[in-house]
Amino acid sequence: MPRSARTTPRSAWATRALVTVLALGLAWLIAGWVVFQHPRTDAPSRSDALLVLGPPDRTRMAEALRLMDAGVAPVLVVANPGTRDLGDASGRVYYARAAQTCAEDGERDYEVICFRPDPSTTQGEAMELRALSEQRGWDHVSVLTYRQHVARSRLLLERCFAGRLDVLSFDYPDVPRGPLREFAYQSGGYVKAWLTPGCAQQLPGQPKSAD
């Protein structure tokens, strides 16, 4: 049998595998473009509180303060993981605006609540929202995050908060991780969310702190 004839089946299998991988990759990119780049967002409306999901960088805090000055809510809630999570040097610079805002509670026309999420994830922020809403009797909360994070945030927050949830978005001048890395990061977050379907359910090895 000619050599070319003997290698044809293997070459055909490799071609089919390559086509399949390319098709899956293209499907993932299209899905990411729809879900992460064009999520369903809500228009700002008067609510019981505005929750700013972390990390509370300067761009995010500037948009949050603009919304609060516009009267979107009487309470500003800031999820601030603190300097320990990213390193003291970067933390002092990265969260300077958030630290200042948290220190100014009582000096503004609205209340400011700052908390360290536990665990330090969007799910930890959702768990804290549940606790605060039960304590405060909130039934309408606005949430602020960047566009690529909107869809996953809504999924996690709606597991913990039964009231009306408005998810507001803003855009960074540049996507923090770059489009492809951001799609991969958010996709991984969705996988984790599917593996932990409850409000407080955690993966083994990543439990909520006991303290």
Side-chain angles (χ1 to χ4, degrees):
M1 181 179 294
R3 182 177 179 85
S4 59
R6 290 198 305 270
T7 58
T8 296
R10 180 178 298 177
S11 299
W13 180 88
T15 299
R16 287 196 296 270
L18 178 60
V19 170
T20 300
V21 170
L22 291 175
L24 290 174
L26 179 60
W28 172 68
L29 288 175
I30 293 173
W33 182 258
V34 174
V35 175
F36 305 137
Q37 289 295 120
H38 302 280
R40 176 172 67 89
T41 59
D42 302 300
S45 63
R46 182 72 175 179
S47 56
D48 297 316
L50 172 66
L51 168 61
V52 185
L53 300 182
D57 55 57
R58 295 171 183 174
T59 301
R60 195 175 309 221
M61 288 304 299
E63 177 63 12
L65 296 178
R66 184 191 69 79
L67 289 167
M68 293 302 295
D69 289 341
V72 74
V75 183
L76 173 65
V77 184
V78 181
N80 189 348
T83 60
R84 185 166 51 187
D85 296 273
L86 295 180
D88 288 343
S90 63
R92 280 197 295 269
V93 175
Y94 202 55
Y95 302 137
R97 188 75 177 271
Q100 179 182 359
T101 301
C102 294
E104 291 175 347
D105 182 28
E107 301 178 17
R108 295 178 176 270
D109 294 333
Y110 46 83
E111 182 182 2
V112 180
I113 300 174
C114 298
F115 70 94
R116 179 188 291 271
D118 183 16
S120 188
T121 61
T122 306
Q123 185 181 25
E125 294 166 340
M127 291 159 60
E128 183 67 20
L129 172 60
R130 178 177 64 177
L132 286 171
S133 62
E134 290 174 352
Q135 294 168 8
R136 299 292 188 107
W138 295 340
D139 56 19
H140 180 192
V141 173
S142 299
V143 176
L144 178 66
T145 191
Y146 66 102
R147 183 173 303 277
Q148 292 78 16
H149 189 221
V150 166
R152 187 164 64 89
S153 297
R154 189 186 296 275
L155 170 67
L156 295 173
L157 292 163
E158 286 182 343
R159 289 176 176 177
C160 294
F161 179 64
R164 175 180 168 184
L165 188 71
D166 291 342
V167 183
L168 317 180
S169 75
F170 69 94
D171 292 310
Y172 284 111
D174 297 301
V175 178
R177 299 175 182 84
L180 289 180
R181 287 184 62 195
E182 188 66 37
F183 284 10
Y185 179 84
Q186 297 300 336
S187 297
Y190 263 105
V191 172
K192 179 185 175 184
W194 290 328
L195 293 173
T196 55
C199 172
Q201 185 177 355
Q202 299 290 304
L203 289 174
Q206 291 185 319
K208 184 180 186 295
S209 299
D211 54 15

